[in-house]
Amino acid sequence: MQDQGRSKRKRTGGRRRRSHKKTRHQLGRQPAETTVGEPRFQVIDSRGNNEKIRALSANTAQVAIDGEVTEATIENVVENPANVNYVRRNIITKGAIIETSEGRARVTSRPGQSGQVNAVLVEE
């Protein structure tokens, strides 16, 4: 999501005059688009004294199976409701169905924000 701020037009359709430029906390960035592959991370400054760890690529996922969590290797992306083309490009986002060594799982974390892939096993 690139745009971070109010609309440039009023409800009536007239143009809204800018009172100030964008501040640092209104900064927008390109999506991380986490792929399947050797683990690569990027540390990004976030608001306050905090950091975000972005997963640029990952090959393991923490999969929850009946309350037990095990680490599984990610083989590929089977389905992704965020974007049809993400399946072809093996991009992992929240809600994506991935094929793991434990079986098919749905991603519950946001790898581009938290830096890790958490998932729950999907019964077919």
Side-chain angles (χ1 to χ4, degrees):
M1 191 78 141
Q2 215 49 39
D3 175 43
Q4 310 245 314
R6 237 175 7 181
S7 172
K8 291 188 179 182
R9 297 220 170 249
K10 299 180 196 174
R11 190 170 46 88
T12 57
R15 285 189 61 84
R16 196 183 292 275
R17 309 255 339 207
R18 287 182 71 172
S19 57
H20 58 82
K21 291 184 179 179
K22 283 188 181 182
T23 55
R24 191 169 179 272
H25 71 86
Q26 293 171 326
L27 175 72
R29 291 195 178 96
Q30 294 294 324
E33 293 189 341
T34 307
T35 57
V36 178
E38 278 302 307
R40 289 189 309 124
F41 302 99
Q42 183 181 32
V43 178
I44 285 176
D45 279 349
S46 63
R47 194 158 189 205
N49 194 20
N50 301 314
E51 290 178 336
K52 281 185 187 179
I53 298 174
R54 291 200 155 172
L56 301 177
S57 61
N59 59 4
T60 59
Q62 283 71 39
V63 181
I65 308 164
D66 298 327
E68 294 289 317
V69 179
T70 57
E71 194 165 287
T73 57
I74 302 170
E75 287 151 20
N76 65 344
V77 178
V78 179
E79 185 182 324
N80 197 327
N83 191 330
V84 198
N85 297 318
Y86 282 2
V87 177
R88 192 169 39 86
R89 293 166 57 196
N90 267 350
I91 292 177
I92 306 165
T93 58
K94 183 177 179 175
I97 308 292
I98 54 175
E99 188 69 47
T100 65
S101 54
E102 301 290 329
R104 285 190 175 189
R106 188 181 77 251
V107 179
T108 56
S109 67
R110 296 174 70 191
Q113 304 282 332
S114 63
Q116 60 186 6
V117 181
N118 299 334
V120 290
L121 210 63
V122 177
E123 289 82 27
E124 292 151 51

